[in-house]
Each structure stands twice: as structure tokens, then as C-alpha cells.
Amino acid sequence: MLIDNGIYVSGLRVDSPTNLEETYELLADHGGLAWIGLYRPTAGELASLAAEFTLHPLAVEDAFRGHQRSKVERYGDTLFVVLRPARYDDDTERVEFGELHLFVGPDFVVTIRHAESPDLAWVRRRLESQSPLLARGPEAILYAILDRVVDEYEPIVRGLENDIDEIEQQLFGDSDDDALSRRIYDLSREVGDFQRAVKPLVGMLEWLRRGYDKYSVDVEVQRSLRDVLDHVIRIGERVAEFRSLLDKALTVHSALVARRQTEASLRQNDEIKKISSWAAIIFAPTLVGTVYGMNFTHMPELDWTWGYPAALALMLGFAGTLYAIFKKKRWL
């Protein structure tokens, strides 16, 4: 689907063709630069672009199929760039990724979105309001799109940081251990996915930097791209910190759970010791009483004057002795 299409001369929009064929004709008439914006294009549209701008078949195939990692490749005088724009859903604590492909040639830029993000209409309005920047050529459009994608990473960083702060508070509070473990694991996975989207950008921008002189990239665009690189490096460092913090949080949580389980086991053992102690104390006089409760005819102690007091003393003696032993062992 053709979303927006413009022909630019000296940074100013001179025409807005409504289809690809008209774009090719107007670009030939006006010269300048064509910026073609597509959303999930058909194979026919890509074939038309490939034929007109001599796009490499492998890059066209990648652009059509999607599901590519972040990368930059050069085919002759045309760059093929894949970016992973993203947004953070704070309710589900998930990073949602899009996919954006760019073909950047000497007199054209083709942007192909496979998701709603990023808002390239905003990027186009920005550049059209800054005609001196747009007049610097296709690399200026590449810079503006990279800058927008990286800027949209900032809310993700803030969202992840807030959730990690909440996890740190939960670690030493009252929380469901299973739920907290799952939250740490899931958030760590999202941070890992985000890191895989951000990390390649450093190498991509460094690779572009090495070709500035060879491909005569405008000096101001070079400076702007260096600023984007600094921004990406800062975000990459923060994401690496998040990964480390979550790994430590999971380790601490595991240790706390193990400690709580050990404490619970010790408390259970103490209760068992108390129950066993009292059972033994009660058992001793019960045994004596049971013996003398048997209805045998010949029991010498029954005719003994001190039999009853002796039986009581024996019961109390057994019970007292066992109580003293258990008390000394701190079972009671």
C-alpha cells in the first residue's frame, strides 16, 4: 500500500504522485529526490521498484518476507537498512517490535513498514519543515528515521526501569514467590529481546561512518548520525545494566526463597520436637498407670502400703526427668 509519496527538489516538495509509475516519470522530469512510503507492499509493487531503481533481488526478497534482524547492507550505490522500532506496553510488561526496511539510493528513499510503528508521517513533516536538512540528500532522511526509531526507545527504557524498581521493592516485601519469579523471568526475556534490537545499531552506525568519505556524505548529516550513535550507545549501556540487575534480582530472589523455606523447615522441626517431647513425657506416667490398671489377681504392689504413693512418685519422676532432659536440649 502506498502511504505517502513525494518528489523533493532542494529540500522542497514539488509534487505528490499517486502511484509508482507517476513517481518515476516526475522524478525523471524534476530530478531531485523521491521519497516513497509503503506499508506492507505487494510483490508487484516491490518488483516495480526493483526494476526502476535496480534493487538487489536478495534485499527485495528480505523486504517482502520481513522478519529480519537489524542490519545494513550495501548493494552498489544503494543501502538496504532493516530497523526494529519498538514500543512498551506497561500493562503487560512486553516490548512490542515492528519492522522497518529502507532502500536508500542516490536519488530515492523507499521506506517499507511492516507494523504501525514508527510514525514516519511525523518524520516527513519534520523534514519538510526543515528544508535545509532535507536538501542534504537521502542520507538526511536515513538520519531522521534512525533518530525517530532511537527516540522511541527512550519510553521503553523508562518503562523497564520503573518495572525493575518495582521488582526490587517486591524482593524484600510480601509477595507471591512464584508470581515474582515469573515476573523477573518474563521481564528479563523482554530486556534480552530489546537488547538484540538495540545492540546491532552501534555496529551499523559505525559501518556507515567508515563510508562517509567514500560516498561523500554531507558533513552535517555525519554529525547528526554521530549524535544518534551516542544516543544508541547510552541506551545500550542502560539495557545491559537492566539485564545485569534482573539476573541479580533472580539470584537474590532464589536465595530469599531458599532461606524462607529453610526457616519454615526449622520452625516445623521445632514444632515436631515439642510435640514429640510432650508425647514422651505423657507416655511415661501413662505406661505406669496402664500397668497398674491391668486386672491381674496377683500383683504384689497392690497389697503394699506404699504402693500407691510409689506409683505416683514413679510417674512424676519419669515425667520430671524427661521434661528436664528435653528442656536442656531446648526442645521445650
Side-chain angles (χ1 to χ4, degrees), residues 15-243:
D15 224 320
S16 301
T18 57
N19 56 63
L20 293 178
E21 288 70 24
E22 186 181 355
T23 303
Y24 309 149
E25 293 174 3
L26 291 172
L27 180 61
D29 292 341
H30 293 292
L33 167 68
W35 181 357
I36 303 168
L38 299 168
Y39 178 71
R40 294 180 178 174
T42 64
E45 288 172 326
L46 286 175
S48 173
L49 289 167
E52 178 66 23
F53 298 123
T54 319
L55 304 180
H56 196 279
L58 291 177
V60 173
E61 183 180 357
D62 286 347
F64 180 67
R65 291 184 176 181
H67 305 291
Q68 301 294 310
R69 59 179 177 82
S70 300
K71 62 180 180 179
V72 57
E73 297 172 341
R74 181 176 287 281
Y75 297 96
D77 57 0
T78 300
L79 284 174
F80 176 58
V81 183
V82 180
L83 300 174
R84 298 297 307 278
R87 59 179 295 273
Y88 190 59
D89 187 336
D90 195 50
D91 293 333
T92 60
E93 295 184 357
R94 292 183 63 86
V95 181
E96 298 175 353
F97 294 97
E99 190 169 338
L100 175 63
H101 298 179
L102 295 90
F103 290 96
V104 182
D107 59 353
F108 67 90
V109 174
V110 178
T111 57
I112 299 171
R113 286 190 296 123
H114 288 272
E116 297 302 321
S117 179
D119 184 3
L120 294 184
W122 184 91
V123 176
R124 193 183 288 262
R125 288 194 299 272
R126 173 195 171 189
L127 286 174
E128 288 179 349
S129 67
Q130 298 176 350
S131 56
L133 176 59
L134 184 53
R136 298 183 186 278
E139 290 84 0
I141 298 176
L142 174 61
Y143 149 70
I145 292 174
L146 280 166
D147 189 49
R148 179 64 176 178
V149 169
V150 174
D151 282 346
E152 289 186 352
Y153 286 161
E154 281 293 348
I156 301 174
V157 172
R158 291 194 295 270
L160 291 171
E161 187 172 28
N162 289 337
D163 289 331
I164 291 171
D165 288 342
E166 290 176 6
I167 285 173
E168 289 177 337
Q169 293 173 2
Q170 286 182 297
L171 278 175
F172 300 98
D174 296 329
S175 61
D176 183 332
D177 288 335
D178 290 340
L180 184 55
S181 295
R182 184 69 187 182
R183 185 182 186 190
I184 295 172
Y185 173 79
D186 287 345
L187 197 61
S188 180
R189 183 181 60 192
E190 295 301 313
V191 169
D193 290 343
F194 184 45
Q195 190 175 36
R196 283 188 288 275
V198 173
K199 192 173 181 179
L201 288 177
V202 177
M204 291 165 61
L205 287 162
E206 288 285 1
W207 185 86
L208 288 172
R209 182 180 62 80
R210 290 193 292 270
Y212 288 165
D213 293 336
K214 181 177 180 180
Y215 295 100
S216 303
V217 178
D218 184 88
V219 174
E220 286 303 319
V221 174
Q222 293 182 32
R223 291 170 180 163
S224 298
L225 285 170
R226 279 199 297 270
D227 182 66
V228 175
L229 175 59
D230 291 341
H231 196 179
V232 170
I233 291 173
R234 288 196 300 272
I235 291 175
E237 289 172 349
R238 292 292 292 135
V239 175
E241 289 174 11
F242 293 162
R243 192 76 179 269

Side-chain angles (χ1 to χ4, degrees), residues 202-308:
V202 177
M204 291 165 61
L205 287 162
E206 288 285 1
W207 185 86
L208 288 172
R209 182 180 62 80
R210 290 193 292 270
Y212 288 165
D213 293 336
K214 181 177 180 180
Y215 295 100
S216 303
V217 178
D218 184 88
V219 174
E220 286 303 319
V221 174
Q222 293 182 32
R223 291 170 180 163
S224 298
L225 285 170
R226 279 199 297 270
D227 182 66
V228 175
L229 175 59
D230 291 341
H231 196 179
V232 170
I233 291 173
R234 288 196 300 272
I235 291 175
E237 289 172 349
R238 292 292 292 135
V239 175
E241 289 174 11
F242 293 162
R243 192 76 179 269
S244 177
L245 285 171
L246 287 169
D247 287 343
K248 291 177 182 178
L250 195 57
T251 301
V252 170
H253 180 58
S254 298
L256 290 173
V257 170
R259 190 185 74 178
R260 283 196 287 266
Q261 289 175 342
T262 301
E263 290 173 350
S265 179
L266 290 173
R267 285 195 298 270
Q268 187 178 29
N269 288 340
D270 289 341
E271 294 298 323
I272 291 172
K273 288 177 181 179
K274 289 179 181 179
I275 293 170
S276 300
S277 299
W278 283 113
I281 291 170
I282 295 170
F283 173 74
T286 301
L287 178 63
V288 175
T290 301
V291 170
Y292 286 99
M294 293 187 290
N295 296 320
F296 291 113
T297 303
H298 301 288
M299 295 186 71
E301 293 85 354
L302 296 178
D303 296 326
W304 182 36
T305 304
W306 297 101
Y308 178 67

